[in-house]
C-alpha cells in the first residue's frame, strides 16, 4: 500500500486511517469506490512533508473562504426586468381550461342602452351573454396586454309599454390584464380589468336591424355598451401565483411581467428571484410550446447553483460534519458546492461538482467529486423526482489527492455523502417542482407529464384539473 510518492518518501509518516465516506451502488448494495469515498479519506495514510497543501490551518482558511464566497446576499428587491430565469407558459387551450369558472361568473357584457325611436316610440336594448367567453390570444396593437373574450349574447328590444323583439349577436371584448405584486408575501395576482374592456369586432341582429348594414347605429350602440360596461364592472382576480417554498422563506420568486404572445398562442408569466444570479442567466421565451401542451414551467438550470448555495447558507443543506458524517458546526469535515449544471449530453439530469474538505486533526485537504441528479416523473405522486446518483472522485489536494490516486484506502463510511446527497436532492426537487397557482373559488390539481432539458432550460410539462370548491 503506497502512502507516499517516491520523491517524498524520506520525509513521510503514516497518518492513521479514518473514514472518508463512499457512495454505494443502489443496484449492488456494495460500495462504489469512485463514489466519494472522499471526505473521510482525507484522514487516511499519507505524507506529512513540507507541502502546504497538507497543512490543516491552510486548508481550514481555504475552506472558510470558499464557503463564504458561496453565501452572497439576497437582492433587496426582486428585479422587475428580464431576462427572466423562471416562466410559466400557458396556451390558449390551457388558459380557457384554467379560468373556465372564473370568467364564466359575471361576464362583463350586460346592460341596457337606448336603441332609438321606433314606430312604437322610444325603445331600449338589453344585452346578456348567452355563452361562456372563450379566451383568445390575438394581436391588439392598441393594447398589447389585452386578451380577447369572444362570446355570444342575446338582446331584448322593448318600449316602455311592451316587449318588441329579441335578437342575437357576438362580440370580442378586449380585456386588459394587470399584475399586482406583493413582495412582502411573495404573491403576484393576475387581474382582468373588466372596467377598461373595449368592444372590438361585434355583430347584432334584432327587429330587422343588422349591424353590418346599419353601421352608424351599430357604432352608437357599441359606444353606449362600452360606457355601460365601464360603469357596471370592475377588476376581477383571475389567479394568484405564489413563491417558492424553500428554506426559511427569504428566497422570493415573483411574477414580474405578463406577456401575451398571439403569434405563439401562449400567455407567459415571467418570474424573477432575489437570488444572486450569474450574468447571462435567463430564458428564451420566444418559441411556442409543443402541440398539445397546456402549460409548462421553465427554469434556467444555472439558477440551481445559487439556490443550493443559499440552502447551504441557511443550513437546509449541512455544511460541516463530524467524524461520523453527522452535521456538526464544530466538525472537522466540510462541503462546498462548485457547480450545478444541465447535463451536456442532453440527459434529463443535473451534474453537480462538490468538494469535501478535511480541515483539522492532521493530514488535511479536499477531494473533488462529481455526482448526477437524475430527474424523472413520479407517476404515483405526479411530481418531478430528483435522485442523486453515485459520486466519483475527479481531483483533490493534499490528502484529497491521495483519495484519487489510492482509492484502495477509502473506508466504507458513507454517512457524510449520504446526508449531503439527500439534502441537495431534496432542495433541488422543491425548487424544480414549483407550480404555485391558486384560484379563489376552485381547487387546482396539477400533474407533471414530462421533462425537457437543455443547457439553458429545464422545462416540465403540466396538466391539471379544476374543481369547484365546496
Amino acid at each position: 500500500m503506497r502512502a507516499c510518492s517516491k520523491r517524498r518518501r524520506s520525509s513521510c509518516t503514516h497518518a492513521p486511517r479514518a473514514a472518508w465516506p463512499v457512495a454505494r451502488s443502489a443496484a449492488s448494495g456494495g460500495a462504489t469506490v469512485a463514489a466519494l469515498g472522499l471526505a473521510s479519506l482525507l484522514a487516511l495514510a499519507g505524507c506529512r512533508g513540507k507541502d502546504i497543501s497538507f497543512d490543516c490551518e491552510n486548508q481550514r482558511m481555504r475552506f472558510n473562504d470558499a464557503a463564504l464566497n458561496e453565501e452572497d446576499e439576497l437582492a433587496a428587491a426582486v428585479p422587475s426586468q428580464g431576462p427572466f430565469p423562471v416562466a410559466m407558459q400557458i396556451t390558449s387551450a390551457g388558459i380557457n381550461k384554467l379560468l373556465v369558472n372564473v370568467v364564466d361568473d359575471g361576464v362583463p357584457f350586460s346592460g341596457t342602452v337606448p336603441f332609438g325611436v321606433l314606430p312604437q316610440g322610444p325603445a331600449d336594448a338589453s344585452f346578456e351573454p348567452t355563452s361562456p367567453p372563450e379566451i383568445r390570444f390575438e394581436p391588439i396593437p392598441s393594447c398589447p396586454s389585452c386578451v380577447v373574450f369572444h362570446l355570444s349574447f342575446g338582446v331584448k328590444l322593448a318600449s316602455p309599454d311592451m316587449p318588441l323583439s329579441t335578437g342575437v349577436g357576438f362580440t370580442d371584448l378586449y380585456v386588459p390584464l394587470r399584475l399586482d405584486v406583493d413582495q412582502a408575501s411573495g404573491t403576484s395576482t393576475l387581474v382582468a380589468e373588466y372596467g377598461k374592456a373595449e368592444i372590438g369586432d361585434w355583430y347584432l341582429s334584432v327587429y330587422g336591424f343588422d349591424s353590418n348594414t346599419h353601421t352608424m347605429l351599430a357604432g352608437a350602440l357599441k359606444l353606449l355598451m362600452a360606457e355601460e360596461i365601464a360603469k357596471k364592472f370592475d377588476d376581477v382576480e383571475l389567479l394568484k401565483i405564489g413563491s417558492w417554498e424553500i428554506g426559511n422563506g427569504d428566497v422570493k420568486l415573483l411574477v414580474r411581467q405578463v406577456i401575451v404572445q398571439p403569434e405563439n398562442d401562449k400567455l407567459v408569466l415571467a418570474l424573477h428571484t432575489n437570488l444572486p444570479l450569474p450574468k447571462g442567466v435567463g430564458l428564451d421565451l420566444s418559441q411556442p410550446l409543443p402541440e398539445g401542451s397546456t402549460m409548462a414551467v421553465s427554469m434556467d438550470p444555472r439558477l440551481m447553483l445559487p439556490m443550493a448555495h443559499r440552502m447551504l447558507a441557511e443550513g437546509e443543506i449541512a455544511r460541516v460534519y463530524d467524524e461520523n458524517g453527522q452535521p456538526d458546526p464544530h466538525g472537522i469535515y466540510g462541503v462546498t458546492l462548485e457547480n450545478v449544471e444541465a447535463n451536456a449530453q442532453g440527459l434529463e439530469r443535473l451534474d453537480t461538482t462538490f468538494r469535501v474538505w478535511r480541515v483539522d486533526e492532521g493530514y488535511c485537504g479536499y477531494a473533488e467529486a462529481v455526482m448526477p441528479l437524475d430527474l424523472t416523473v413520479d407517476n404515483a405522486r405526479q411530481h418531478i423526482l430528483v435522485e442523486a446518483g453515485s459520486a466519483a472522485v475527479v481531483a483533490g489536494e493534499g490528502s484529497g489527492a491521495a483519495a484519487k490516486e489510492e482509492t484502495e484506502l477509502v473506508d466504507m463510511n458513507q454517512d457524510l455523502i449520504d446526508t449531503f446527497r439527500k439534502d441537495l436532492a431534496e432542495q433541488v426537487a422543491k425548487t424544480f417542482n414549483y407550480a404555485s397557482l391558486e384560484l379563489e373559488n376552485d381547487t387546482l390539481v396539477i400533474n407533471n407529464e414530462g421533462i425537457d432539458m437543455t443547457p439553458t432550460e429545464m422545462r416540465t410539462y403540466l396538466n391539471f384539473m379544476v374543481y369547484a370548491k365546496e
Side-chain angles (χ1 to χ4, degrees):
M1 176 173 63
R2 296 189 323 276
C4 314
S5 65
K6 290 183 179 179
R7 64 178 178 274
R8 289 186 296 181
R9 182 162 297 180
S10 61
S11 61
C12 294
T13 59
H14 292 283
R17 293 194 180 193
W20 276 85
V22 179
R24 293 181 184 272
S25 164
S28 65
T32 1
V33 165
L36 245 218
L38 15 117
S40 302
L41 119 151
L42 293 178
L44 297 178
C47 304
R48 295 175 185 260
K50 295 180 180 180
D51 188 346
I52 194 173
S53 68
F54 291 82
D55 181 74
C56 290
E57 184 177 348
N58 174 60
Q59 292 295 351
R60 180 178 290 278
M61 180 178 66
R62 294 184 63 193
F63 166 70
N64 289 339
D65 288 345
L68 187 62
N69 287 336
E70 292 182 358
E71 298 180 5
D72 291 339
E73 293 293 324
L74 297 172
V78 177
S80 59
Q81 300 298 316
F84 298 98
V86 181
M88 285 188 178
Q89 305 180 71
I90 312 173
T91 64
S92 60
I95 205 75
N96 278 283
K97 181 179 177 182
L98 184 65
L99 301 178
V100 59
N101 294 330
V102 178
V103 299
D104 194 23
D105 184 16
V107 180
F109 193 85
S110 65
T112 300
V113 298
F115 186 81
V117 178
L118 300 177
Q120 295 87 344
D124 292 330
S126 298
F127 295 84
E128 288 288 344
T130 57
S131 71
E134 176 192 356
I135 301 175
R136 298 177 177 178
F137 303 144
E138 297 179 2
I140 305 171
S142 61
C143 184
S145 67
C146 283
V147 294
V148 176
F149 280 25
H150 178 82
L151 58 95
S152 300
F153 62 82
V155 60
K156 295 180 180 178
L157 198 61
S159 69
D161 299 324
M162 68 180 76
L164 298 176
S165 182
T166 60
V168 295
F170 69 84
T171 186
D172 287 340
L173 288 178
Y174 300 159
V175 181
L177 300 181
R178 187 184 77 238
L179 195 64
D180 292 343
V181 179
D182 185 345
Q183 294 222 29
S185 68
T187 301
S188 305
T189 304
L190 186 63
V191 177
E193 298 183 300
Y194 282 177
K196 296 181 180 179
E198 297 182 1
I199 301 175
D201 188 22
W202 86 323
Y203 174 76
L204 170 63
S205 175
V206 63
Y207 198 66
F209 167 83
D210 186 297
S211 59
N212 289 338
T213 304
H214 303 84
T215 55
M216 291 186 62
L217 179 54
L221 287 172
K222 188 175 177 179
L223 288 174
L224 291 171
M225 274 302 300
E227 293 174 359
E228 185 75 0
I229 291 170
K231 286 190 300 182
K232 290 186 62 174
F233 295 93
D234 204 349
D235 297 343
V236 171
E237 292 185 1
L238 299 180
L239 55 90
K240 289 183 180 292
I241 308 99
S243 185
W244 275 315
E245 294 183 0
I246 55 176
N248 61 20
D250 290 340
V251 177
K252 302 296 183 185
L253 183 71
L254 292 174
V255 180
R256 301 304 269 144
Q257 285 189 22
V258 180
I259 307 167
V260 183
Q261 294 186 352
E263 69 279 12
N264 291 326
D265 189 40
K266 70 178 184 181
L267 176 77
V268 177
L269 302 174
L271 297 98
H272 222 310
T273 175
N274 59 346
L275 282 170
L277 300 179
K279 288 184 179 180
V281 172
L283 297 166
D284 177 4
L285 301 170
S286 64
Q287 300 302 312
L289 292 177
E291 187 175 353
S293 300
T294 55
M295 182 190 300
V297 173
S298 297
M299 294 185 185
D300 190 320
R302 292 168 291 184
L303 70 78
M304 287 297 174
L305 181 60
M307 180 282 300
H309 282 167
R310 183 66 191 181
M311 294 302 100
L312 279 160
E314 293 185 7
E316 298 294 325
I317 302 173
R319 169 79 77 186
V320 182
Y321 301 79
D322 65 16
E323 290 183 335
N324 297 316
Q326 298 303 306
D328 179 355
H330 305 294
I332 67 172
Y333 298 110
V335 177
T336 55
L337 186 59
E338 304 299 305
N339 199 14
V340 180
E341 61 185 351
N343 178 258
Q345 285 73 46
L347 301 177
E348 293 173 354
R349 81 180 195 205
L350 299 171
D351 291 326
T352 66
T353 304
F354 63 100
R355 290 177 177 177
V356 179
W357 302 68
R358 181 182 173 92
V359 296
D360 206 350
E361 298 185 6
Y363 198 52
C364 294
Y366 68 78
E368 186 170 289
V370 294
M371 178 178 69
L373 296 175
D374 294 309
L375 310 175
T376 56
V377 175
D378 184 338
N379 292 317
R381 292 185 289 174
Q382 290 297 325
H383 69 181
I384 302 303
L385 184 65
V386 180
E387 293 184 301
S390 297
V393 178
V394 295
E397 181 176 285
S399 53
K404 179 171 181 286
E405 297 167 2
E406 303 194 43
T407 53
E408 71 271 16
L409 299 178
V410 176
D411 191 272
M412 298 296 291
N413 183 357
Q414 62 167 348
D415 292 342
L416 186 158
I417 299 305
D418 282 349
T419 301
F420 175 72
R421 284 165 35 168
K422 174 181 174 294
D423 289 349
L424 179 61
E426 180 180 338
Q427 296 305 319
V428 169
K430 286 182 178 180
T431 305
F432 195 51
N433 279 295
Y434 171 78
S436 182
L437 293 176
E438 182 180 337
L439 301 170
E440 184 175 358
N441 297 315
D442 296 319
T443 298
L444 193 62
V445 178
I446 295 177
N447 297 327
N448 286 278
E449 295 193 327
I451 309 167
D452 277 344
M453 177 77 78
T454 72
T456 57
E457 183 179 2
M458 300 185 300
R459 182 188 294 174
T460 176
Y461 296 98
L462 306 179
N463 207 338
F464 52 87
M465 296 296 295
V466 178
Y467 301 95
K469 293 179 180 177
E470 295 182 0

